[in-house]
Amino acid sequence: MEEEQDLGKNHSASPVSEVQQDHTAPPVNPPRENRSPEAEIAALRQQLYTMEARVVQAEHERDEVIGDMIEKAQLLETKFIEEIMNDIHRRLHVPLRIAQPLLIGMEYHIHFVTSWLKDGSSHTADILTTLGMGGIGKTSLAKHVYGLYSHEFHISSFIEDITRKCDGKFNGLLDLQEQLCNDISKTSSIRFHDVGIYTTKIENALARKRVFLVLDDITTIDQLDALLGSKGFHPGSKIIITTRDRWLTESCALFKTNNKPKHERHLLLGLDEIQSLQLLSFHAFMCNYPKEGYEEVSYKLVKYCQGNPLALVVLGKSLCNRDVAYWEGCIEGLNKETSSHINNVLRMSFDSLPSNNDKELFKHIACFFVGIDRDVSETILKACDIITRSGITNLIDRYLLSIGSNNELKMHQLVQEMGRLEVHQESLDKPWKRSRIWCHKESFRVLKQKKGKGNVLGLSLDMRMLEKEKSEASFELKTDALSNMDSLMLLQINYVHMEGSYENFPGELRGLRMHGFRLKSIPLDLPMMNLVALDMSYSYIESFVGCYSNIQRLEKRQKFDALYLKDKKLFRSLKILNLSFCKQLRSLGDFDQLPALERLIVRNCVGLVEVGESIEQCIELVFIDMSYCKKLEKLPRNIGMLKNVKTLLLDGCKLSDSQIEDMDMVINIRTSSSVFMGAIPSDLKLFTVSLPRSLVRLSLVNNNLSTECFPMDFIV
């Protein structure tokens, strides 16, 4: 009995103990047989209240979970929609109708250009030439109006930064013609190498449809003649030209015909004092007027900038969150300079960069990377021990850099000139004593005289840019001209005929561009261990790495392997390989030597017939471009093993029935926020292999595929 009593005590005590520990539990009720009816009802009510409270709590938790899921789904959906819109804008050049940023002090000019666009007759074509000094806002105005109204025309195109692109590249004008031709004709992207052919195509396209065309920064008649021709435009077309030359437009071939377009000029002058103060304050204080205590220094800077918007924006961004004493020091420094006011302002912004890393990054970009893809640039610069993530942000914050719609690095021309001037100041008359040499004549002089030393970090030379004043033999260079440049990391030597052993090349090279390379294969003695990017476009090479045409070369390779490789990868650091337009290239192999490869670009290699199965060992690949490789018989069957490929471009590969057997395939291409599935038609013969499941973008442009090739249930 005592034992039973003890058990009864323990049994009755336990729930009480639990209730004391759980303060949220309901109070313990007496046994039901001892309860009155009122107590029973009260207990039931209490239990019902507790159950309702728990249900409410569960519903609340459920709603929170569902809300989080919906929010995440909406964010993913929004991001996906933005990706689609940006892709449409990039690939089809369809301008996005988004809110345009306010251009302070430009209201009158916006109204003038808008009225010009609206008031034109549908029976004539009009040209507006926008004039003004550098940094005055010509490009910003044209870009603003283009964004607002380009959708109202059948065809539109904005060709930006024309002079710099023509001056910086041998075939720069051809590139611009190709861009314009693709924008206004939407036809096959076949590459031509004759300015006259493109001009004819442009003339024909401009005559057929009503267009809105902006040609930004024109400096020569040749540029206008190449981009506009002389046959006139479709009625109702509008053309805006930005330039610093008042008489340039009416000097081109178009105005020497009987059918001259209607022409107007519009001059942009500097902002007035009130507008200048507003623009400076907006970027320095995020409001329309100076903060208390900054009035006097603000007026001094406004007066110094003389109404130049670029100078005001750069100053405002550079002085943001600085105290008055810093502003006063800035003004004192500017007043001591004797060069142009705008250049002084830009230099002051450069001097305000927070670290030497950011200054070196700025000079690298100004000398070699303007117009280059941001991801490619960052990959190379990181290998040069430059911190790019924060550095690029700091440059953008100071208006020294911007990112274009195609992810390219952009600089205002005056900003780039300032950056190059900083490098030029390292030695005014001895280019070999500078850290970077970008002028083609100076680069040739340094290499010809073998004066390059360990201080040179980067050098660029394109022989086609030099005037043909001497016999071609005199343009030959020796490879040992680079032997003393121990610190050289960036080297661009295009269409240069070099003689000698390539073991003289600097071992610290990170980025190497050799367009028009004359040898049939990669020199085995070329130092490649530290290379991150190799661009040998337009070269004569027949194979890459391990494919050789004779026994002697194979024996040389085997000897080289034994002496130098020692189980190390030949291109162990290479992340970017570009062999585009190599017409003699037949095969790509030995991908086991490229363990770090991220980008493979073999565009327009019209002789390429084989890509080795060893590509599956390039597990870091994210981008593959094999467009217009017309003889490529098949993709590697194991390309689907690559788990990181996001982009696969196969434009113009001329897929045909004869290339492989008939078989239906199913692909599952997953993007960051969607999936499309479908049966690949049996005549897409390159797809007898599985595609990477990581794929985000697959392009099959100009493959002569009709809609009948795709089954009705093929969903994109």
Side-chain angles (χ1 to χ4, degrees), residues 334-362:
L334 289 173
N335 287 329
K336 289 181 179 179
E337 297 291 340
T338 58
S339 55
S340 71
H341 284 204
I342 179 63
N343 192 63
N344 293 339
V345 169
L346 298 178
R347 282 183 53 203
M348 191 228 62
S349 181
F350 168 77
D351 291 337
S352 72
L353 288 170
S355 68
N356 185 65
N357 173 86
D358 294 351
K359 294 178 180 179
E360 293 300 304
L361 170 63
F362 174 74

Side-chain angles (χ1 to χ4, degrees), residues 103 120 155 193 236 323 386 424 433 469 557 567 669 685:
L103 296 181
I155 298 292
H193 299 280
D323 57 29
I386 297 291
H424 188 269
K433 291 189 176 182
E469 298 176 353
R557 165 65 192 272
D567 298 327
I669 300 181
K685 297 311 182 247

Side-chain angles (χ1 to χ4, degrees), residues 229-500:
S230 59
K231 294 183 179 180
F233 314 109
H234 190 279
S237 294
K238 297 284 186 175
I239 294 88
I240 295 178
I241 296 170
T242 71
T243 181
R244 304 182 194 184
D245 189 336
R246 177 178 179 84
W247 305 106
L248 184 64
T249 301
E250 294 189 2
S251 300
C252 70
L254 189 64
F255 283 86
K256 297 177 182 178
T257 64
N258 294 327
N259 188 24
K260 299 177 183 178
K262 183 180 177 181
H263 180 226
E264 289 189 52
R265 297 185 182 93
H266 182 64
L267 178 63
L268 271 66
L269 300 173
L271 304 180
D272 62 32
E273 189 174 272
I274 295 176
Q275 295 167 339
S276 297
L277 189 62
Q278 184 181 359
L279 183 58
L280 177 69
S281 299
F282 179 81
H283 291 285
F285 310 116
M286 301 302 172
C287 58
N288 293 328
Y289 48 85
K291 287 173 60 176
E292 183 179 355
Y294 286 81
E295 295 87 353
E296 183 178 353
V297 290
S298 296
Y299 277 108
K300 289 181 180 179
L301 286 178
V302 163
K303 184 177 180 181
Y304 184 87
C305 290
Q306 300 175 346
N308 188 292
L310 177 62
L312 291 163
V313 171
V314 171
L315 268 179
K317 288 182 175 292
S318 299
L319 296 174
C320 184
N321 297 322
R322 299 286 191 174
D323 57 29
V324 176
Y326 188 92
W327 281 56
E328 291 174 342
C330 167
I331 295 170
E332 183 179 355
L334 289 173
N335 287 329
K336 289 181 179 179
E337 297 291 340
T338 58
S339 55
S340 71
H341 284 204
I342 179 63
N343 192 63
N344 293 339
V345 169
L346 298 178
R347 282 183 53 203
M348 191 228 62
S349 181
F350 168 77
D351 291 337
S352 72
L353 288 170
S355 68
N356 185 65
N357 173 86
D358 294 351
K359 294 178 180 179
E360 293 300 304
L361 170 63
F362 174 74
K363 289 188 283 189
H364 271 315
I365 295 175
C367 293
F368 304 118
F369 289 96
V370 172
I372 305 300
D373 179 84
R374 176 178 181 171
D375 296 331
V376 171
S377 301
E378 287 195 28
T379 298
I380 299 173
L381 289 168
K382 285 178 183 177
C384 297
D385 299 323
I386 297 291
I387 301 172
T388 59
R389 188 166 187 176
S390 61
I392 287 179
T393 299
N394 290 333
L395 297 182
I396 293 174
D397 288 345
R398 284 164 174 76
Y399 212 65
L400 297 176
L401 184 70
S402 61
I403 308 299
S405 59
N406 292 318
N407 200 42
E408 76 277 16
L409 300 182
K410 297 179 64 177
M411 273 185 184
H412 192 284
Q413 186 173 354
L414 295 178
V415 175
Q416 184 183 25
E417 289 173 359
M418 178 273 295
R420 290 183 167 184
L421 182 60
E422 286 294 314
V423 177
H424 188 269
Q425 295 297 320
E426 295 171 359
S427 179
L428 298 179
D429 56 352
K430 297 178 180 178
W432 56 88
K433 291 189 176 182
R434 301 174 198 151
S435 58
R436 300 158 182 88
I437 310 173
W438 66 91
C439 174
H440 301 291
K441 289 185 178 181
E442 291 181 339
S443 296
F444 180 75
R445 176 186 170 193
V446 169
L447 294 178
K448 191 68 174 178
Q449 298 177 2
K450 301 181 181 181
K451 289 189 174 182
K453 303 298 180 182
N455 55 288
V456 181
L457 301 176
L459 183 144
S460 177
L461 170 61
D462 190 329
M463 297 301 290
R464 300 174 305 171
M465 299 294 289
L466 300 179
E467 297 178 0
K468 305 296 183 179
E469 298 176 353
K470 302 178 180 180
S471 62
E472 189 172 344
S474 65
F475 283 85
E476 294 181 357
L477 295 172
K478 302 292 185 181
T479 56
D480 60 2
L482 297 162
S483 59
N484 292 326
M485 300 185 187
D486 299 331
S487 301
L488 191 67
M489 294 186 178
L490 304 172
L491 179 60
Q492 302 173 11
I493 44 173
N494 296 337
Y495 301 93
V496 177
H497 180 47
M498 304 200 77
E499 293 185 347

Side-chain angles (χ1 to χ4, degrees), residues 183-252:
D183 286 352
I184 63 179
S185 65
K186 302 293 190 295
T187 57
S188 173
S189 57
I190 298 174
R191 173 80 177 189
F192 298 100
H193 299 280
D194 186 276
V195 171
I197 294 177
Y198 271 123
T199 299
T200 301
K201 290 174 66 67
I202 291 169
E203 287 176 333
N204 294 335
L206 292 176
R208 286 195 300 265
K209 291 187 178 181
R210 179 171 170 263
V211 302
F212 181 20
L213 175 61
V214 177
L215 302 180
D216 172 56
D217 192 24
I218 291 283
T219 56
T220 70
I221 296 174
D222 290 341
Q223 294 167 357
L224 275 181
D225 288 344
L227 296 171
L228 294 182
S230 59
K231 294 183 179 180
F233 314 109
H234 190 279
S237 294
K238 297 284 186 175
I239 294 88
I240 295 178
I241 296 170
T242 71
T243 181
R244 304 182 194 184
D245 189 336
R246 177 178 179 84
W247 305 106
L248 184 64
T249 301
E250 294 189 2
S251 300
C252 70

Side-chain angles (χ1 to χ4, degrees), residues 13-28:
S14 178
V16 175
S17 175
E18 291 177 3
V19 170
Q20 289 176 344
Q21 294 174 6
D22 184 3
H23 301 287
T24 63
V28 179

